[in-house]
Amino acid sequence: MLVGSIEAGGTKFVCAVGDEEYNVKESISFPTVKPGETLKKAVDFFKKFPELKSIGIASFGPIEIRPSAANYGYVTSTPKPGWKDTDFVGVIKDALDIPIFWTTDVNGSAYGEYMAYKNKKEELNSLVYYTVETGIGAGVIIDGKFIGSQGHPELGHVFVKRHPADLDFKGTCPYHGDCLEGLASGPTFKARLGVPGQEVPLTDPTWDIIAYYIAQAAVQTTLTFRPQKIIIGGGVSSEEFLVKVRKQFKELLNDYIDVANLNDYIVTPLVPKNGSATQGDFALAIKAMK
């Protein structure tokens, strides 16, 4: 049996076909350009597999996830040029006529991590997955189910306390300015320093500022959802960076509640090579068939 995955990012699409064991049989990636051109490339890829049974789609957003909504399956109020009010699911459904599971990019990654831990036989019923890259988003799974009925969580747009050394930075979010995404996403390095984050050494104090904001998000998540793990993925994340985050987290939480082992609590993804979303999409595609 073959199932499909679309990891739809604001920068690129990754489309893959795999089996029920989540083994990738073939994949393709291409830039996210205009909706018509981008979605046609996805459709053309999947049409090569007539035995395809279903697809899991994890998309950048905001998106409409309520099946009862008139614009279910749409990318809605995104700042991505040209993609506002795009009928994503409708295009794929009309072209392929197979079951589709539709969710956010971070939900796809969260579910991939959830299934990876499950396959390790590790008892994990709850987690929050943050991606920190071009934007910031989070997927929340409690007892194997996504949180969010009226819409998906937008944890990248919560407000955080400003770092004392960062008071003059206005933030990059076009909606809120200095929300979490506006202060700690990848593009904030270039906005502050004039160079992209991958060119900034971890010894630069900007990384401590970013860690302070991500640690605040982790504290909010801990106190709100009490998950078993917080997983931080995306281009900004690394084990060296998480050392800074854990240190700030410990100071901010101040032992208010017991978090036993920070090294096992705030972690990088278990699925290697940024494969969490693809694995999650495969699992969700199988779920869509039931």
Side-chain angles (χ1 to χ4, degrees):
M1 180 180 72
L2 292 182
V3 292
S5 162
I6 301 178
E7 182 184 354
T11 302
K12 70 176 180 179
F13 268 45
V14 179
C15 298
V17 167
D19 60 23
E20 60 266 37
E21 301 297 325
Y22 315 142
N23 298 306
V24 175
K25 299 299 184 181
E26 189 171 335
S27 66
I28 186 174
S29 68
F30 45 86
T32 306
V33 291
K34 294 179 179 179
E37 180 182 347
T38 307
L39 295 178
K40 183 179 185 303
K41 284 185 179 180
V43 167
D44 289 345
F45 170 75
F46 289 114
K47 279 189 172 179
K48 296 191 302 180
F49 305 93
E51 65 272 43
L52 193 70
K53 298 298 184 184
S54 60
I55 293 179
I57 303 175
S59 175
F60 70 95
I63 63 175
E64 180 54 75
I65 62 169
R66 294 172 296 175
S68 61
N71 62 339
Y72 169 75
Y74 278 60
V75 176
T76 58
S77 57
T78 178
K80 176 71 175 174
W83 281 81
K84 184 178 181 180
D85 298 326
T86 293
D87 184 4
F88 194 138
V89 170
V91 170
I92 303 299
K93 186 78 173 177
D94 288 347
L96 301 175
D97 192 26
I98 55 177
I100 292 172
F101 196 105
W102 167 247
T103 192
T104 65
D105 47 3
V106 284
N107 273 355
S109 294
Y111 206 76
E113 289 292 307
Y114 173 75
M115 294 303 296
Y117 278 100
K118 187 175 181 179
N119 290 340
K120 275 185 65 181
K121 310 301 183 185
E122 183 170 333
E123 187 176 346
L124 186 70
N125 296 318
S126 62
L127 64 84
V128 177
Y129 180 99
Y130 276 91
T131 186
V132 184
E133 44 191 348
T134 304
I136 295 179
V140 183
I141 295 179
I142 306 293
D143 294 331
K145 297 179 181 179
F146 294 125
I147 292 295
S149 59
Q150 294 306 298
H152 51 82
E154 286 285 3
L155 297 181
H157 293 271
V158 300
F159 290 95
V160 290
K161 183 179 179 180
R162 298 300 293 263
H163 190 286
D166 198 41
L167 299 178
D168 293 333
F169 181 58
K170 294 182 179 179
T172 61
C173 175
Y175 288 92
H176 309 120
D178 63 349
C179 61
L180 178 65
E181 179 172 298
L183 293 175
S185 61
T188 65
F189 283 95
K190 191 164 187 179
R192 288 185 178 94
L193 305 174
V195 294
Q198 58 264 36
E199 297 180 17
V200 180
L202 275 167
T203 52
D204 189 291
T206 305
W207 282 103
D208 295 306
I209 292 172
I210 302 298
Y212 178 67
Y213 295 134
I214 298 302
Q216 286 187 64
V219 168
Q220 292 177 5
T221 293
T222 298
L223 298 178
T224 304
F225 299 113
R226 298 299 300 271
Q228 289 169 268
K229 283 189 186 293
I230 297 176
I231 301 167
I232 301 178
V236 171
S237 179
S238 68
E239 181 57 36
E240 294 79 7
F241 172 62
L242 291 194
V243 170
K244 296 178 179 289
V245 173
R246 294 182 194 115
K247 180 177 182 294
Q248 300 268 18
F249 176 90
K250 183 174 178 57
E251 292 176 3
L252 289 167
L253 190 62
N254 198 29
D255 295 324
Y256 177 64
I257 59 173
D258 179 42
V259 178
N261 186 339
L262 283 183
N263 291 331
D264 288 333
Y265 180 61
I266 300 175
V267 297
T268 56
L270 179 64
V271 181
K273 299 179 180 179
N274 295 317
S276 304
T278 295
Q279 181 161 316
D281 286 348
F282 286 159
L284 293 169
I286 293 169
K287 196 171 184 178
M289 298 164 52
K290 297 177 180 178

